[in-house]
Amino acid sequence: MIKLTINGRSLSTTPGTTVLEAALAHGIDVPRLCYHPELSVSGGCRLCMVEIEGIANPVASCGLLCAEGMDIRTESEALSEMRHDIIDLFVSDHPLDCVTCDKAGSCQLQDYAYQYGITETSHDKEISRTLYQDDNPFFLRDHQYCILCGRCTRVCNEVVGAEAIDLVGRGFTSHVATPFDGPMINSDCIFCGNCVQVCPTAALLPMSRLGKGREWEMERTKSICGYCGVGCEIEYAKKNDKIIYAQASKAQSVNGEMLCSKGRFGWDFVSHPERLTTPLIRKDVAYEMGLTDEPWELSDRSPLKARKVVIEDSFVPVDWETAVTLTAAKLAQTVKKHGPDSVMGLASARCTNEDNYIYQKFMRAGIGTNNLDHCARL
Ligand code: SF4
Ligand code: SF4
Ligand code: SF4
Ligand code: FES
């Protein structure tokens, strides 16, 4: 272990830890914008500067490894002035639209502007990035809000591996670009939205979120994504009981802050008006069981080929007990008549491990078939 002092507090940490990580791990907050715990160090924003005893100039703590006996200060008048000037520069190239901005309330630039008392820039204002791209249904790119922290490019290149975007140009022409600055939809982007998650400002926003309410009005519900067996932890931002957007729940061990496109953007089924919410029995079977007095015959035309299936035309809603009893009877009948391999089971990742264990046991030992699969393989 390495022993060091931060703001007069004696601490110990493991070799290989940066000063920023050591400070954060011990509850000492250090302003930062380009740093992200799951990405490589960029060192671009300079906001995380700290003073080290014996070193003349402040050093960026996100790229500085802890060393035995270091004496570090994360706060001083000089550091505050420096951070104030950095935010002032960011704001000189950023519209101060916080009153109407969808990111207000969860924007790190806004937080630091508040912290350092910056209401407007002391420099000449010049908005150098004007890209506005809404060419896909998943997220908006509005680069007037971009602060060039490079978190999006690092997540895309280092974590996702899609390499769809990178920082190009110099000075006022620097921007996040797709190859040849083409539309996102024509790039190698897989629309996972991890860049949207790590973006500290409104430069990248989920489409579903635009104009749907302020951050502080939204209720957060944590859940587990049901699409596959990884079981990523996910957080839904909801307003009036409707999901507005989904994001990874921060710093979780399974998926960190990352999600795939299904978990992040594939949740609209939840409030879809055609979502099945009760068991349904085909009308001819329901008629035989006396559950409806409307006789009905299965059409020659496959329901899959019908342009729009109207559920009420062909099915009758029933309670779970009726549905399970009927399913058990039909299963037994089929196995008896055609043998165990005439049926197969498909289990759901939304069930627990124990449920899935029981399911495979039921199929193998109860029914007597190995015809079983699981949606996690889809
Ligand atoms: S991105 Fe942040 S700082 Fe910029 S206008 Fe929106 S809330 Fe304000
Ligand atoms: S959505 Fe995913 S693949 Fe596309 S640019 Fe962002 S991180 Fe890269
Ligand atoms: S788009 Fe967002 S994450 Fe990417 S560089 Fe700009 S501010 Fe940073
Ligand atoms: S957080 Fe260290 S330089 Fe940006």
Side-chain angles (χ1 to χ4, degrees):
M1 296 294 271
I2 294 173
K3 290 195 171 36
L4 70 163
T5 308
I6 305 183
N7 298 344
R9 269 176 69 189
S10 298
L11 314 168
S12 54
T13 188
T14 46
T17 308
T18 64
V19 170
L20 178 61
E21 287 165 345
L24 296 178
H26 288 87
I28 302 166
D29 194 30
V30 180
R32 58 203 180 277
L33 275 169
C34 65
Y35 169 80
H36 188 283
E38 296 184 47
L39 305 175
S40 66
V41 171
S42 142
C45 77
R46 317 311 283 170
L47 211 59
C48 67
M49 299 289 247
V50 293
E51 292 168 345
I52 316 273
E53 198 58 44
I55 298 182
N57 295 317
V59 189
S61 61
C62 63
L64 179 69
L65 290 180
C66 292
E68 187 65 33
M70 259 183 179
D71 186 1
I72 302 151
R73 276 179 307 281
T74 65
E75 296 295 337
S76 72
E77 208 172 305
L79 287 173
S80 278
E81 266 177 42
M82 197 178 289
R83 289 170 184 153
H84 177 282
D85 292 348
I86 292 170
I87 299 298
D88 188 1
L89 278 168
F90 276 130
V91 163
S92 72
D93 187 12
H94 188 103
L96 282 182
D97 289 345
C98 304
V99 284
T100 51
C101 181
D102 278 321
K103 190 79 176 190
S106 70
C107 170
Q108 285 172 273
L109 181 60
Q110 185 190 44
D111 290 347
Y112 290 129
Y114 177 82
Q115 191 172 329
Y116 293 99
I118 295 170
T119 50
E120 57 186 346
T121 181
S122 62
H123 302 279
D124 290 340
K125 188 114 184 154
E126 180 176 341
I127 305 292
S128 53
R129 286 168 291 280
T130 52
L131 174 94
Y132 183 91
Q133 209 174 58
D134 57 355
D135 63 354
N136 70 79
F138 305 106
F139 61 87
L140 173 77
R141 299 170 77 204
D142 191 351
H143 277 184
Q144 57 180 334
Y145 299 104
C146 176
I147 56 166
L148 297 174
C149 67
R151 288 196 200 179
C152 56
T153 58
R154 278 177 285 146
V155 81
C156 189
N157 300 337
E158 296 169 9
V159 181
V160 183
E163 303 191 339
I165 45 174
D166 217 335
L167 285 165
V168 300
R170 295 176 72 82
F172 275 114
T173 67
S174 313
H175 62 284
V176 176
T178 52
F180 309 107
D181 273 327
M184 204 71 197
I185 202 94
N186 294 342
S187 73
D188 284 339
C189 176
I190 56 167
F191 296 102
C192 62
N194 288 315
C195 53
V196 180
Q197 168 116 18
V198 298
C199 179
T201 70
L204 298 169
L205 284 175
M207 283 291 186
S208 61
R209 202 242 164 282
L210 303 182
K212 293 285 170 50
R214 316 315 308 269
E215 280 292 319
W216 52 88
E217 293 172 330
M218 291 183 203
E219 198 191 321
R220 317 274 154 178
T221 303
K222 283 191 182 170
S223 188
I224 304 290
C225 176
Y227 274 113
C228 84
V230 177
C232 292
E233 189 161 326
I234 201 162
E235 181 184 277
Y236 296 104
K238 300 184 308 178
K239 191 180 165 196
N240 299 333
D241 253 359
K242 289 260 159 57
I243 297 175
I244 305 296
Y245 66 93
Q247 60 179 9
S249 194
K250 290 197 176 142
Q252 295 308 313
S253 52
V254 177
N255 53 308
E257 273 198 56
M258 309 300 151
L259 286 174
C260 79
S261 51
K262 292 187 289 181
R264 194 180 297 282
F265 297 117
W267 43 260
D268 49 346
F269 67 89
V270 173
S271 51
H272 196 283
E274 288 176 15
R275 180 177 175 184
L276 298 182
T277 53
T278 177
L280 300 165
I281 289 185
R282 222 172 60 199
K283 243 182 186 173
D284 55 336
V285 181
Y287 183 71
E288 278 169 25
M289 293 169 71
L291 296 171
T292 175
D293 48 13
E294 280 179 55
W296 180 85
E297 274 179 30
L298 184 61
S299 152
D300 288 344
R301 199 154 153 246
S302 159
L304 295 175
K305 287 189 187 143
R307 188 161 282 169
K308 185 154 174 54
V309 181
V310 181
I311 296 287
E312 298 74 37
D313 288 353
S314 323
F315 295 90
V316 173
V318 291
D319 59 44
W320 280 103
E321 191 164 345
T322 311
V324 171
T325 309
L326 177 66
T327 309
K330 289 277 179 192
L331 258 179
Q333 226 176 56
T334 308
V335 170
K336 197 169 172 193
K337 195 165 168 195
H338 303 288
D341 282 338
S342 62
V343 298
M344 81 154 292
L346 182 66
S348 167
R350 290 187 173 89
C351 303
T352 60
N353 271 347
E354 290 76 8
D355 286 342
N356 277 314
Y357 174 79
I358 296 288
Y359 143 77
Q360 65 80 34
K361 196 80 180 164
F362 168 72
M363 290 304 290
R364 290 193 169 112
I367 303 274
T369 181
N370 286 324
N371 290 344
L372 50 107
D373 211 338
H374 189 280
C375 78
R377 288 177 2 105
L378 296 181

